[in-house]
Amino acid sequence: MVDTFWGEAPAPPAEEPRGCLFALSQPPLMIFLTVVGSLLLMAALHDLFLL
């Protein structure tokens, strides 16, 4: 329970917690995940078709 005195308004809440979708909306993270995914895809295709 919030400690307040009579007539005192409670403090406004701090920032809302940001979740996973906020992290995925950041461009550097998406570029990194795209590069890693494309490297994995190229390695998988190499294994399937050239080995």
Side-chain angles (χ1 to χ4, degrees), residues 6-41:
W6 287 102
E8 181 182 336
E15 287 187 26
E16 293 183 17
R18 294 178 174 166
C20 180
L21 290 179
F22 175 77
L24 284 178
S25 68
Q26 302 303 308
L29 178 63
M30 290 306 294
I31 292 170
F32 172 75
L33 292 177
T34 302
V35 169
V36 170
S38 62
L39 289 174
L40 287 172
L41 179 65

